[in-house]
């Protein structure tokens, strides 16, 4: 059974269709790369998966559990939405770190907020805080930031900020880690260091969905590739199929244009 099943997802904003009948599935421990021009719907798709946007139609399942079904009445309670969102970790294009918190505090924050909802939080506050801090330290060390935990975002490079953001997403132990153009705000040197971290996660069999313009990376790391254009999935398949045996003219045009740049 796939870890992620997306069926016929649609989304419009003020009458403009942004996602049009999107369907795909993803197996556990696989990496899905989503490619396509700006405005093709890639980011909106990720936001729908993370419940930052509510689809107008379709079904989303994780591990066989239906998280969204447009045909059913869904709770709009924030606690319920937050619970569903925990299946996904999202790493934003521009980091979205809290500037008033250190790297360590940024990684700890979401887990501490969730811990406060536990019935035994007050009785175990010190113990729980210690566990969360230890996990955050481990993750930041894994990201190569053991000596930068006390630094604030403005004291870090873009690549370091993005690695903090990855650690923050991993702290909640999501089933699926999603990246929205994780290197587009970085220069080439910093891009390389972030892609190396993501490649390491792929080697560790982390299930991931990666929106990217890094075609070589998509080809080398992904198990499955989706090409989107104008809100549709135009073509999907293995990297060898999409990049090496392209079937659709729109895909060929996109890849040709990218190579020229």
């Amino acid at each position: 059974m796939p870890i992620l099943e997306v069926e016929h997802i649609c989304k419009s904003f003020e009458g403009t269709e942004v996602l049009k009948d999107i369907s795909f599935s993803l197996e556990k421990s696989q990496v899905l790369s989503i490619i396509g021009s700006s405005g093709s719907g890639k980011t909106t798709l990720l936001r729908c998966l993370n419940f930052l946007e509510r689809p107008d139609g379709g079904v989303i399942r994780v591990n066989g559990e239906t998280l969204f079904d447009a045909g059913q009445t869904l709770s709009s309670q924030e606690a319920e939405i937050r619970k569903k969102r925990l299946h996904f970790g999202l790493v934003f294009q521009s980091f979205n770190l809290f500037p008033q918190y250190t790297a360590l505090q940024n990684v700890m924050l979401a887990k501490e907020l969730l811990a406060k909802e536990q019935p035994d939080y007050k009785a175990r506050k010190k113990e729980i805080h210690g566990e969360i801090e230890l996990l955050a330290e481990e993750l930041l060390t894994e990201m190569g930031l053991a000596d930068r935990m006390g630094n604030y975002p403005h004291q870090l490079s873009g690549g370091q900020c993005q690695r903090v953001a990855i650690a923050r997403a991993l702290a909640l132990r999501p089933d699926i880690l999603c990246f929205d153009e994780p290197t587009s705000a970085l220069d080439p040197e910093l891009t390389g260091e972030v892609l190396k971290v993501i490649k390491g996660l792929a080697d560790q069999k982390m299930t991931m969905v990666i929106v990217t313009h890094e075609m070589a990376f998509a080809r080398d790391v992904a198990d499955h590739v989706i090409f989107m254009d104008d809100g549709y999935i135009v073509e999907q398949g293995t990297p060898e199929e999409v990049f090496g045996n392209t079937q659709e003219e729109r895909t060929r045009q996109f890849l040709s244009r990218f190579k020229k740049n």
Side-chain angles (χ1 to χ4, degrees):
M1 179 178 65
I3 189 173
L4 174 63
E5 297 169 277
V6 175
E7 298 177 358
H8 309 296
I9 290 296
C10 301
K11 179 64 180 177
S12 296
F13 293 101
E14 299 180 350
T16 300
E17 289 184 283
V18 178
L19 296 178
K20 306 169 184 177
D21 197 25
I22 301 295
S23 296
F24 64 90
S25 63
L26 181 65
E27 299 293 329
K28 184 176 175 60
S29 302
Q30 287 192 336
V31 176
L32 167 64
S33 287
I34 303 177
I35 62 174
S37 301
S38 298
S40 59
K42 306 183 302 295
T43 293
T44 299
L45 175 57
L46 283 193
R47 290 178 65 84
C48 285
L49 292 180
N50 284 272
F51 296 92
L52 296 174
E53 302 287 351
R54 187 184 189 279
D56 300 321
V59 177
I60 299 172
R61 298 188 190 92
V62 173
N63 289 321
E65 176 188 355
T66 299
L67 301 186
F68 175 82
D69 186 341
Q72 299 177 358
T73 302
L74 297 174
S75 170
S76 60
Q77 295 295 318
E78 179 59 32
E80 283 299 310
I81 295 173
R82 189 161 61 244
K83 182 179 178 182
K84 294 176 180 180
R85 195 175 287 151
L86 289 175
H87 290 282
F88 300 90
L90 179 58
V91 178
F92 296 90
Q93 176 177 324
S94 54
F95 327 133
N96 285 23
L97 299 179
F98 291 99
Q100 71 273 33
Y101 295 138
T102 65
L104 183 65
Q105 290 168 333
N106 264 282
V107 177
M108 294 175 63
L109 182 60
K111 203 162 182 67
E112 286 195 314
L113 292 173
L114 288 171
K116 291 179 180 179
E117 298 177 2
Q118 299 177 15
D120 62 344
Y121 175 74
K122 289 185 178 179
R124 298 182 55 238
K125 182 177 179 180
K126 186 175 181 180
E127 177 187 353
I128 291 172
H129 178 83
E131 292 171 353
I132 293 172
E133 185 173 29
L134 179 61
L135 173 62
E137 290 173 346
E138 291 173 350
L139 288 170
L140 286 170
T141 299
E142 185 179 337
M143 294 296 118
L145 296 170
D147 59 341
R148 307 306 295 267
M149 296 185 191
N151 288 97
Y152 292 88
H154 74 273
Q155 297 172 313
L156 302 173
S157 70
Q160 290 169 335
C161 283
Q162 195 62 293
R163 283 184 279 155
V164 173
I166 294 171
R168 179 179 61 183
L170 289 170
L172 295 176
R173 301 303 192 201
D175 295 301
I176 303 163
L177 188 58
C178 301
F179 294 85
D180 183 16
E181 298 283 7
T183 61
S184 64
L186 306 177
D187 63 36
E189 180 180 352
L190 299 180
T191 291
E193 79 180 41
V194 171
L195 293 180
K196 182 178 179 181
V197 169
I198 300 173
K199 175 66 165 59
L201 293 173
D203 291 341
Q204 295 171 33
K205 302 301 182 183
M206 181 76 201
T207 308
M208 294 186 285
V209 177
I210 306 171
V211 170
T212 182
H213 277 109
E214 299 290 336
M215 295 299 112
F217 177 76
R219 183 169 192 162
D220 292 344
V221 174
D223 299 286
H224 195 77
V225 177
I226 284 174
F227 169 65
M228 291 184 65
D229 187 44
D230 191 31
Y232 291 101
I233 292 179
V234 175
E235 189 163 359
Q236 61 178 311
T238 65
E240 292 77 14
E241 290 168 338
V242 174
F243 290 102
N245 189 27
T246 310
Q247 298 297 306
E248 299 292 332
E249 182 59 28
R250 277 190 285 176
T251 314
R252 276 193 287 269
Q253 289 177 355
F254 171 78
L255 293 175
S256 175
R257 185 171 67 248
F258 187 88
K259 289 175 184 176
K260 290 178 182 178
N261 293 335

